[in-house]
Amino acid sequence: VPADEFPTGWTMQNVPRKNSKSKRPFDTYYYSPELKLKFRSRPEVKRFIELLESSDNDEMKAKAKFTRR
């Protein structure tokens, strides 16, 4: 499913939790356009997009910066 709140190409997936009785019975994951890197939250995606913009839109370079933090 397209993640409309992020730039073109980002997707999201709602995954049901096993045996969950919480208010939100699913987890939402976001995937980057090229490498399909998986992110668990909107703040993570926003941080990655900032790094991506400063890395000439190279997901590998942005990933390296993201994991160093």
Side-chain angles (χ1 to χ4, degrees), residues 5-6 12 28 30 39-47:
E5 63 194 280
F6 298 119
M12 61 183 272
T28 301
Y30 300 90
F39 298 90
R40 293 183 57 129
S41 68
R42 286 185 190 102
E44 275 188 343
V45 173
K46 289 178 182 179
R47 195 174 96 210

Side-chain angles (χ1 to χ4, degrees), residues 19-35:
N19 304 321
S20 175
K21 294 179 183 172
S22 69
K23 292 180 183 177
R24 218 182 78 182
F26 58 86
D27 291 313
T28 301
Y29 296 102
Y30 300 90
Y31 297 91
S32 66
E34 292 178 28
L35 299 178

